[in-house]
Amino acid sequence: MAKVISFINYKGGVGKTTTTFHVGCGLAMFEPKKKVLLIDADPQTNLTFLCADFAQWEKQVADVGSLETVYSAYLKSERKSLHDLVWHRPMTRPELANIDLVPSTIELLDIDLRLQSRTKAATTIQEVAQIHLDQRSILLRAIEEVSSDYDYILIDCPPNLYLATQNALYASDGYLVTLMPDHFSTVGVNFLDRKIKQLLRERNLSEQIVNPASDGMRELPYFLCFVKVNVTAGRMQLVAKEQMATVRSSALFSKKVFESRTDDYKDIREATTEQLPVYLNSPGSQNDSLYREMTKEFRSKFPLS
Ligand SMILES: Nc1ncnc2c1ncn2[C@@H]1O[C@H](COP(=O)(O)OP(=O)(O)OP(=O)(O)O)[C@@H](O)[C@H]1O
Ligand SMILES: [Mg+2]
């Protein structure tokens, strides 16, 4: 069974997509090579367009579908497995042959409204709990049939904690929060931590209500990693250093922060434009080695069982 990890932060522009892509490519490219499925859960479709160009994506979505197909099927009381939706080898470079993708579309944008408008009235606490679980387990059930085809399944979440992200969380064996070393991110990570843990508690509670015999106290392993670290002339800026130290020394996160980090450097933007990971677009560059380190640490922090 694959290990499913979500890349989460309700803040926008903090490197979720770029990190999902680079860790995914790293896992697939470097020994021991792993089979990786990338799932784009964000209606912005950024991860999708890191892997494929517009014309290919249009054809794929028209012929096969996208992640939104899973939710549409649920709304029609049907079930759609990712098995029928996976885009095999969307990237042509042979080094990236171990990567498959479930692409996204803009239609995922109003999935919360669509799910809520179809919510049946519940009369008992058990029904409320069952609906709560059902609406957040759509992706989990869709992943089940492909899980044995992969080593890692990485989910790129949108910058919010609404239902698409909650579905990702319910489907995950763990999650990674990407953080920028600035004041807002440092303050926000405490709120984010509290909110995610609350969402997981709500799941546990719903599971216990629906099935009192269940061991409803599951927690998810999680880590934080710093990306887009400001570096000038090869040296980390003081503010970045201080913000990173603040998070690393806090009681809550001291054991949770990756040792590795990646930098805000032009090699990432150049690689993104070429729809390639830095490993292939600018080997030997700053983020080539930094993202290799991060991939290595990801393997050890989220080991395969
Ligand atoms: N080391 C780095 N790691 C990740 N992103 C970086 C890095 N350096 C620069 N960036 C840039 O930061 C920008 C935002 O990254 P990205 O789109 O991955 O963030 P995001 O959190 O997924 O955003 P959104 O919340 O909108 O989905 C991109 O332009 C990316 O190229
Ligand atoms: Mg993104």
Side-chain angles (χ1 to χ4, degrees), residues 6 8 41-43 67 70-71 74-75 108-119 131-140 155-171 195 199 202:
S6 285
I8 291 188
D42 185 355
L67 183 60
V70 169
Y71 292 97
Y74 173 85
L75 288 166
L108 262 189
L109 202 54
D110 58 357
I111 197 62
D112 284 66
L113 281 177
R114 285 162 64 202
L115 285 169
Q116 265 147 25
S117 69
R118 290 287 303 273
T119 303
I131 291 169
H132 182 92
L133 289 175
D134 285 351
Q135 289 194 337
R136 288 159 182 80
S137 307
I138 303 165
L139 184 56
L140 170 77
I155 308 174
D156 180 30
C157 293
N160 61 55
L161 295 176
Y162 304 145
L163 282 177
T165 303
Q166 292 181 33
N167 265 275
L169 212 48
Y170 276 43
K195 185 68 194 168
L199 292 171
E202 285 168 8

Side-chain angles (χ1 to χ4, degrees), residues 49-175:
F49 290 122
L50 274 179
C51 299
D53 64 30
F54 192 82
Q56 292 170 308
W57 165 81
E58 261 193 325
K59 186 171 172 358
Q60 175 73 17
V61 172
D63 293 352
V64 180
S66 69
L67 183 60
E68 192 269 340
T69 313
V70 169
Y71 292 97
S72 296
Y74 173 85
L75 288 166
K76 287 186 268 178
S77 304
E78 293 164 8
R79 187 166 164 184
K80 191 84 179 172
S81 155
L82 287 191
H83 202 263
D84 309 319
L85 295 170
V86 167
W87 186 347
H88 296 279
R89 299 183 59 171
M91 293 178 278
T92 49
R93 287 285 288 253
E95 298 91 333
L96 301 172
N98 271 358
I99 297 186
D100 293 344
L101 171 73
V102 176
S104 184
T105 58
I106 187 76
E107 278 72 30
L108 262 189
L109 202 54
D110 58 357
I111 197 62
D112 284 66
L113 281 177
R114 285 162 64 202
L115 285 169
Q116 265 147 25
S117 69
R118 290 287 303 273
T119 303
K120 289 186 231 112
T123 50
T124 64
I125 183 88
Q126 282 79 10
E127 281 173 359
V128 172
Q130 189 63 62
I131 291 169
H132 182 92
L133 289 175
D134 285 351
Q135 289 194 337
R136 288 159 182 80
S137 307
I138 303 165
L139 184 56
L140 170 77
R141 286 194 298 267
I143 284 177
E144 272 164 7
E145 278 170 53
V146 295
S147 186
S148 56
D149 298 345
Y150 298 96
D151 298 304
Y152 285 101
I153 297 180
L154 308 185
I155 308 174
D156 180 30
C157 293
N160 61 55
L161 295 176
Y162 304 145
L163 282 177
T165 303
Q166 292 181 33
N167 265 275
L169 212 48
Y170 276 43
S172 292
D173 301 306
Y175 59 95

Side-chain angles (χ1 to χ4, degrees), residues 7 11-18 20 40 42 44-47 156-159:
F7 289 64
K11 270 178 76 63
V14 293
K16 294 179 289 296
T17 303
T18 312
T20 310
D40 189 350
D42 185 355
Q44 294 183 94
T45 66
N46 293 343
L47 180 64
D156 180 30
C157 293

